[in-house]
Amino acid sequence: MRSFATLDEFSAAVGEHLGHSPWSRVTQEQVDQFAGATGDLQWIHTDPERAATGPFGGTILHGYMTLALLPTMMRAIFDIEKIEMGVNFGLDKVRFPHPVPVGSRVRGGAKLTGVRETPVGHLAAVRMTVEVEGQPRAACVADTLSLFVGP
């Protein structure tokens, strides 16, 4: 994990790759819980038997489930010590170039692409890239926005 003492130190890292989260295996149970929480019960996510003969050869994560993994990945990649809080502010662009098969291992990589001061705090743009172990193409590329409020 990369640790920054202050928002100014964090801001000085614009343009740098901040690191990767650890690899984490995604399970059918997690997918089923996400499907239940969101109401997206499509068989490509929730029916392993039917999905085995489908276009992906098995069940896959919802794209939005992949996106929902980003905050945990980001917390594992970097932290800023002297802040009062961090808030998800939004997304500028999200793409899902490759599916994530259930049972695979994923990790996130973070590149700090910009930071600007606002009246309430520092608005940081971080490009998150979710990789699937053994796959050459990214599963998700998301330009995230986080608002960090510091002393």
Side-chain angles (χ1 to χ4, degrees), residues 27-97:
T27 67
Q28 187 64 53
E29 180 181 3
Q30 290 170 305
V31 171
D32 292 344
Q33 290 172 346
F34 187 86
T38 61
D40 184 352
L41 304 171
Q42 191 173 177
W43 62 270
I44 61 173
H45 306 301
T46 61
D47 187 342
E49 189 173 303
R50 183 175 177 193
T53 61
F56 305 108
T59 51
I60 60 170
L61 273 68
H62 304 73
Y64 287 140
M65 180 178 172
T66 305
L67 196 60
L69 298 173
L70 296 185
T72 299
M73 291 176 173
M74 288 174 76
R75 282 192 302 274
I77 296 169
F78 70 90
D79 77 329
I80 307 164
E81 295 172 18
K82 295 182 181 170
I83 62 169
E84 293 175 22
M85 68 175 174
V87 179
N88 291 328
F89 194 78
L91 300 157
D92 274 340
K93 183 177 178 181
V94 178
R95 296 291 181 263
F96 303 108

Side-chain angles (χ1 to χ4, degrees), residues 2 4 9-19 77-78 109-114 125-127:
R2 187 154 173 199
F4 298 93
E9 186 180 311
F10 178 69
S11 298
V14 168
E16 294 181 24
H17 191 272
L18 303 178
I77 296 169
F78 70 90
K111 180 178 182 180
L112 183 59
T113 59
V126 177
R127 173 161 288 170

Side-chain angles (χ1 to χ4, degrees), residues 19-26 30 69 72-73 76-77 100-101 103-109 129-139:
H20 290 94
S21 68
W23 290 103
S24 175
R25 189 165 310 281
V26 288
Q30 290 170 305
L69 298 173
T72 299
M73 291 176 173
I77 296 169
V100 178
S104 59
R105 291 183 354 138
V106 295
R107 73 174 182 175
T129 302
V130 178
E131 303 170 1
V132 177
E133 190 173 44
Q135 280 294 336
R137 291 181 62 197

Side-chain angles (χ1 to χ4, degrees), residues 115-131:
V115 177
R116 69 179 175 86
E117 289 190 48
T118 73
V120 252
H122 288 68
L123 187 61
V126 177
R127 173 161 288 170
M128 290 295 298
T129 302
V130 178
E131 303 170 1

